[in-house]
Amino acid sequence: MKNVALVLSGGGFRGAFQVGALNYLEQNWNTIFPDHEKLQFDIVSGVSVGSLNGLLVASDEFSVLQELWMDIGKNGVEEIYSSDVINTQSKSDQLEIQADFSTIKNKFIPNFNLGKIGVGQGFKLLFSKKQREKFIQSLASEVGQEFKANFNNFRSLANNQALKDKLSRFAKAEKIKGKFVCGYVSLNTGKFHSRLHSEFKSDSDFAKAVEASTAIPLVWEPVEQVEHDTGSDYQLVDGGVRDVSPLGSVIHMMDQKPGVENVLVVINCSSGLNKADDYSQKNIAQLALRSLNDIAISEIFNNDLKEFIDKNYILEQVRAANPDLQIYDFNYRTGQQGKPLNRFKAVIINPDPHVLGDSLVANEKLIKQRLAHGYEKAAHAFGEYLNQDDNRDFTVC
């Protein structure tokens, strides 16, 4: 008997890679997991786009998930968000920022209008240096105050109302099969929260929790509040900021029972390697997105996954030498012995470096490429899984 858990990492529109991998798994399910109903996992956990994909898998709505990504391929990023800063109409494989004067004016100084100058005032400005200097000082002060007021309210590059509308239809706790966990971070406390679908006060809160898990800082506004059984969380953003592949949440939830084999299927949207580029001429939005969305989250992903694999590899060696010895981790907060470490089978599916493109870009070519690559890597990984020795814990492809 097996307990099978699905763990989906973050990665923006690279999330199509996960759907491609799941396509392979669905088609070959009866061979890989014959004791489970097709594409039914005991636990599904995700952050960021993994939370969106995981929600529909856990809701037994895989066909809806496939249609969603086909629509993204056909219609682009506007299936998920709109923006007057990011060029959402671009067909490029790279993120394009449209930061022209008109965009800046409409966002930060919408009331700025030289056309309000009357004829009389115009003559004074034309023939009087003193009047021109006075007018410029007054105008600079007025523009500066308006810019400051609007800049203080500038919290995102894009509007994710299109995603919110979808989540309000998708997020229904009663439709979840097994357990679904989504992760998000509170900016107020700095803490990562991993919560079950059954913990939220309402389906509206459930939808907001999944939205929060996808809310990449700077790109989308934080979710103001989510209510759950034990209180409320505030100012919430993408769980990938703290925990890009939420393995820990799943490991702690999976029961260790005699005769039950726990299997983790981990589908990541990043190889952990960033494509080199010249950022000497990039704007502030591109610098921020590169720093946070590519470099920082990739590093968190690498460390998280490395720790998981290291612990299990060490445990595998200890168990081979002494099958009855119980091994514990170390609780650095208390300075004492931590929780017992248990054996897990794991199938870890990673993309090849530099194949999936920019995480905030989606077009038909890229979506098809990501789907196909996910299918290919899943075929390799599950082929290895089915052929591996019973004493081997990991398949990493």
Side-chain angles (χ1 to χ4, degrees):
M1 181 178 177
K2 289 182 172 68
N3 277 336
V4 185
L6 176 65
V7 179
L8 301 172
S9 74
F13 289 106
R14 293 172 182 161
F17 174 81
Q18 294 175 342
V19 180
L22 290 167
N23 282 337
Y24 176 86
L25 187 53
E26 183 202 33
Q27 292 174 18
N28 297 275
W29 185 269
N30 292 336
T31 301
I32 300 168
F33 299 120
D35 296 333
H36 279 62
E37 290 185 42
K38 181 173 284 191
L39 223 59
Q40 295 291 302
F41 297 90
D42 297 284
I43 304 172
V44 177
S45 181
V47 292
S48 195
V49 70
S51 186
L52 171 62
N53 288 342
L55 169 66
L56 287 167
V57 171
S59 301
D60 198 20
E61 295 280 9
F62 187 57
S63 61
V64 175
L65 180 62
Q66 292 170 309
E67 289 172 11
L68 171 62
W69 283 96
M70 289 297 99
D71 288 342
I72 292 172
K74 287 185 288 186
N75 303 322
V77 300
E78 290 188 346
E79 279 289 324
I80 300 296
Y81 72 84
S82 60
S83 176
D84 52 7
V85 177
I86 298 172
N87 184 0
T88 59
Q89 298 292 321
S90 172
K91 302 300 181 183
S92 171
D93 290 352
Q94 301 296 319
L95 183 71
E96 292 186 354
I97 303 296
Q98 49 187 22
D100 54 23
F101 178 75
S102 176
T103 300
I104 295 171
K105 176 185 177 301
N106 291 336
K107 182 167 285 293
F108 297 115
I109 47 174
N111 296 319
F112 175 67
N113 186 359
L114 289 175
K116 293 180 179 179
I117 301 173
V119 175
Q121 187 179 10
F123 274 110
K124 290 180 181 179
L125 295 176
L126 182 62
F127 295 108
S128 172
K129 180 179 179 182
K130 184 176 181 180
Q131 287 292 330
R132 288 198 300 272
E133 290 176 347
K134 182 178 179 181
F135 172 77
I136 291 170
Q137 289 175 357
S138 173
L139 181 64
S141 175
E142 181 182 334
V143 168
Q145 290 175 13
E146 185 177 4
F147 180 90
K148 181 178 179 181
N150 286 303
F151 187 79
N152 287 339
N153 294 323
F154 178 54
R155 291 165 62 82
S156 65
L157 297 173
N159 182 322
N160 62 341
Q161 187 60 51
L163 175 62
K164 291 181 184 180
D165 293 342
K166 289 176 171 62
L167 290 175
S168 68
R169 303 196 308 271
F170 298 158
K172 307 297 179 185
E174 70 275 5
K175 295 184 69 174
I176 300 295
K177 311 293 185 184
K179 297 176 180 178
F180 172 70
V181 184
C182 68
Y184 52 74
V185 169
S186 167
L187 293 177
N188 285 8
T189 64
K191 292 181 179 179
F192 175 77
H193 299 282
S194 183
R195 301 200 182 280
L196 273 171
H197 69 278
S198 56
E199 293 182 44
F200 299 106
K201 287 286 188 181
S202 66
D203 282 342
S204 175
D205 287 295
F206 184 23
K208 286 191 288 185
V210 179
E211 177 198 344
S213 187
T214 66
I216 303 169
L218 184 66
V219 179
W220 298 339
E221 277 199 59
V223 171
E224 184 175 347
Q225 178 182 357
V226 169
E227 295 186 14
H228 48 83
D229 290 345
T230 57
S232 299
D233 300 319
Y234 299 93
Q235 296 302 311
L236 310 172
V237 296
D238 189 342
V241 173
R242 282 287 304 270
D243 201 344
V244 77
S245 49
L247 293 168
S249 304
V250 172
I251 290 170
H252 292 316
M253 291 176 63
M254 294 185 81
D255 295 330
Q256 291 292 324
K257 296 178 180 178
V260 176
E261 181 181 64
N262 287 320
V263 181
L264 300 177
V265 177
V266 183
I267 311 177
N268 301 301
C269 296
S270 172
S271 66
L273 299 175
N274 292 301
K275 188 174 182 179
D277 198 356
D278 180 7
Y279 272 75
S280 61
Q281 302 300 317
K282 304 293 187 181
N283 59 50
I284 188 171
Q286 291 166 318
L287 293 174
L289 290 171
R290 173 69 163 179
S291 301
L292 175 64
N293 201 45
D294 290 338
I295 298 174
I297 286 180
S298 291
E299 187 64 22
I300 294 168
F301 153 70
N302 281 333
N303 291 338
D304 186 40
L305 201 56
K306 180 179 182 298
E307 181 182 0
F308 174 62
I309 293 174
D310 280 352
K311 283 184 177 180
N312 280 271
Y313 183 64
I314 292 169
L315 184 62
E316 183 179 327
Q317 296 175 81
V318 171
R319 290 284 169 82
N322 191 339
D324 298 324
L325 181 64
Q326 179 64 65
I327 304 298
Y328 297 84
D329 67 9
F330 179 75
N331 188 327
Y332 74 94
R333 295 186 185 278
T334 65
Q336 303 293 323
Q337 176 178 287
K339 296 180 179 180
L341 294 175
N342 296 296
R343 179 181 175 183
F344 291 86
K345 291 273 187 177
V347 182
I348 301 173
I349 304 170
N350 298 310
D352 292 333
H354 318 319
V355 171
L356 301 186
D358 193 300
S359 62
L360 288 179
V361 174
N363 56 49
E364 192 164 17
K365 183 190 76 173
L366 275 176
I367 294 300
K368 287 181 177 179
Q369 180 177 309
R370 291 161 180 169
L371 288 166
H373 191 54
Y375 191 96
E376 173 194 356
K377 298 298 286 187
H380 185 193
F382 284 110
E384 291 285 319
Y385 169 77
L386 291 173
N387 292 320
Q388 74 183 15
D389 185 276
D390 286 341
N391 293 317
R392 182 181 168 196
D393 286 343
F394 284 92
T395 298
V396 182
C397 294

